[in-house]
Amino acid sequence: MAREQARNAAIPSRKISGRHSVAFDHYFRFDEITNFLFELAKEFPQLITVESAGKSSEGRDLWLAKISTTGFDGSKPVIFMDANIHAREWIACMSTLNLIHELVEHAYALPEMLAVDWMIMPMANPDGYEYSHVGDRMWRKTMSKNVGTTCLGTDPNRNFAYKWETGISTSDAPCSLLFRGPHAESEPEVQAISHLLRTTPNIKLYLAVHSYGDYLLFPFGYDYNIPNDNEANLQSLGNRAAAAISRFNPARSYTVGNSASALYPASGASDDFAAGGAQIHYAYTVELSGGGNQGFDLEPSKIQQVSNEIFVAYREYAMFVAETF
Ligand code: 0X9
Ligand code: ZN
C-alpha cells in the first residue's frame, strides 16, 4: 500500500482547470509545441519533465517528454514514442501532444495509463516540419545538406541502422523523396532516437506515429515474409488496440498487420530498428487517419477527433504493458 501511495503521490487529485485548457484546433508550429511542453512541465513538475534529446541539422531541439508518477526510477516498464519524423504528417505530432496533455492533466483519472512510464518525442523532425509550413507542404524528409547537390534532406525512416544496406523501397539519390542518406544513422534526428532506444532500460513497447491510412503495422518490414518470433502477440495486441478504436468510433477501422504485407516493404525504418536493433519485442508504426490534400493535410477541425480515436488505442497498449511486464 505504501508503495502504491508513493507511486501515485504525484497525481493531482482533481483537474486543475483554466490555465491549460488547450484547443487542438490548429496545427502548432515548433515554437508553440515547445511552449506547450514547457508550460505543462512547469505546472506539473512531479509528473512530466522535458529535456532535449539532441539537436536537428538546423539546430532545433528534439524535445523529449518523460512522464512518470515515480520519477522514472526504473520501477515501471517504459513505452517509447516518437512522432512526426516525416515532416508533412502533421497529425502525428498533434495527436501525440493530445496524449501528453491527457496523461498529465487527467492523470488522476487514468491510473491504468500511468502504471507505465512514458518517453515521448512528439516532434522528431522539427526542421522538415517547419519547412512543410513555410516552403513545401508535402515535404517528407529532414533538411540536412547533401554532398554534390542542392537537394536537401534524407528520409529519416529509411536511415535507421537495421537492414539499411538492403535498400528496399529506398533510394541512393539525394533528390529522391526516399533518399536513405549517405550512411545509416547519418541524420542527427535518427541518431537521437536510436541512442535512446539502445540505452534506455526497460522499454517494452515502441510506437512510431505517422500518417496516413489507418494502420497498426508491426515488424519486420524491410522485406516480404521476414519471420518474427513475436508475430502472434503483435497481431493480437494490435487487434486489441484496433478494436478499442472501433468501439469508440464504429465508422473507423484500423488494419493490423505486418508492415510489408499490409502496406509495403521498406528498409531502414524505425520500427524494424526498435525490434531488430534494440530488441524491443513490441514495436508498431501507427498510420493515423488522413484527409485533405493527398491525405497528409488533415483538416484542423479533425485534429481532436483523430487524436481521441488513437488515444483509446494508446490506453489499450499501456494496459497491456502494465499487465504483462
Ligand atoms: O514508408 C514509411 O516510412 C511508412 N509510411 S509513411 O506513409 N508514413 O511514409 C511506413 C513504414 C512501415 N515500416 C516498415 N516498412 N518497416
Ligand atoms: Zn511517415
Side-chain angles (χ1 to χ4, degrees):
M1 253 307 114
R3 185 157 171 260
E4 208 38 45
Q5 272 166 11
R7 271 192 167 198
N8 294 324
I11 299 181
S13 58
R14 65 188 162 79
K15 171 151 173 54
I16 299 165
S17 59
R19 278 176 64 200
H20 295 294
S21 54
V22 177
F24 292 105
D25 59 0
H26 64 281
Y27 289 99
F28 295 6
R29 297 285 295 273
F30 181 67
D31 285 348
E32 193 172 2
I33 296 166
T34 303
N35 291 339
F36 170 85
L37 294 171
F38 280 93
E39 283 289 306
L40 270 186
K42 205 167 88 188
E43 189 173 0
F44 300 100
Q46 305 300 317
L47 270 178
I48 175 171
T49 56
V50 179
E51 58 192 58
S52 176
K55 285 193 190 286
S56 65
S57 292
E58 293 179 342
R60 293 184 178 88
D61 283 296
L62 303 169
W63 297 126
L64 184 72
K66 292 163 87 172
I67 300 171
S68 172
T69 57
T70 44
F72 245 89
D73 64 2
S75 62
K76 296 180 193 168
V78 176
I79 296 179
F80 185 100
M81 298 174 70
D82 58 70
N84 229 136
I85 200 166
H86 283 144
R88 63 190 173 185
E89 299 168 9
W90 294 0
I91 185 58
C93 174
M94 291 306 295
S95 59
T96 303
L97 294 182
N98 178 73
L99 169 68
I100 292 172
H101 183 255
E102 287 299 310
L103 287 174
V104 173
E105 293 256 358
H106 298 160
Y108 68 95
L110 298 167
E112 73 283 13
M113 293 184 82
L114 288 149
V116 305
D117 286 347
W118 299 80
M119 209 180 227
I120 307 179
M121 187 184 287
M123 176 43 69
N125 179 5
D127 299 350
Y129 181 69
E130 283 296 294
Y131 186 65
S132 72
H133 279 273
V134 299
D136 176 357
R137 176 66 189 85
M138 287 299 130
W139 193 254
R140 169 178 167 98
K141 298 192 287 179
T142 61
M143 296 298 282
S144 54
K145 292 195 167 63
N146 291 312
V147 178
T149 171
T150 54
C151 289
L152 294 174
T154 283
D155 183 341
N157 214 32
R158 301 290 181 275
N159 190 240
F160 281 82
Y162 188 74
K163 304 288 174 186
W164 176 88
E165 60 287 351
T166 311
I168 294 172
S169 180
T170 76
S171 172
D172 287 334
C175 299
S176 163
L177 211 59
L178 300 176
F179 180 45
R180 64 178 175 168
H183 54 85
E185 261 180 57
S186 59
E187 304 309 287
E189 299 85 354
V190 172
Q191 288 168 17
I193 294 168
S194 301
H195 176 74
L196 289 166
L197 292 178
R198 283 192 184 103
T199 58
T200 308
N202 227 12
I203 298 177
K204 298 301 181 189
L205 170 67
Y206 170 77
L207 298 173
V209 188
H210 289 247
S211 75
Y212 64 93
D214 301 12
Y215 291 101
L216 302 175
L217 304 168
F218 54 78
F220 288 98
Y222 63 87
D223 205 344
Y224 289 112
N225 301 319
I226 305 297
N228 182 329
D229 289 348
N230 203 30
E231 171 141 8
N233 292 328
L234 285 159
Q235 181 74 47
S236 86
L237 174 56
N239 289 347
R240 175 174 164 181
I245 298 173
S246 292
R247 274 197 307 277
F248 181 80
N249 177 4
R252 193 75 78 191
S253 159
Y254 273 63
T255 302
V256 182
N258 169 275
S259 53
S261 56
L263 190 59
Y264 46 69
S267 60
S270 67
D271 49 6
D272 282 2
F273 173 77
Q279 302 306 318
I280 298 164
H281 299 295
Y282 288 88
Y284 295 82
T285 294
V286 177
E287 297 281 358
L288 296 165
S289 302
N293 179 21
Q294 298 181 48
F296 297 108
D297 201 18
L298 181 78
E299 298 82 353
S301 61
K302 295 188 179 150
I303 295 171
Q304 189 65 62
Q305 174 67 21
V306 171
S307 300
N308 292 346
E309 289 168 5
I310 201 63
F311 178 81
V312 300
Y314 294 150
R315 188 166 166 270
E316 295 298 326
Y317 276 124
M319 289 193 297
F320 170 81
V321 170
E323 286 159 12
T324 309
F325 298 102

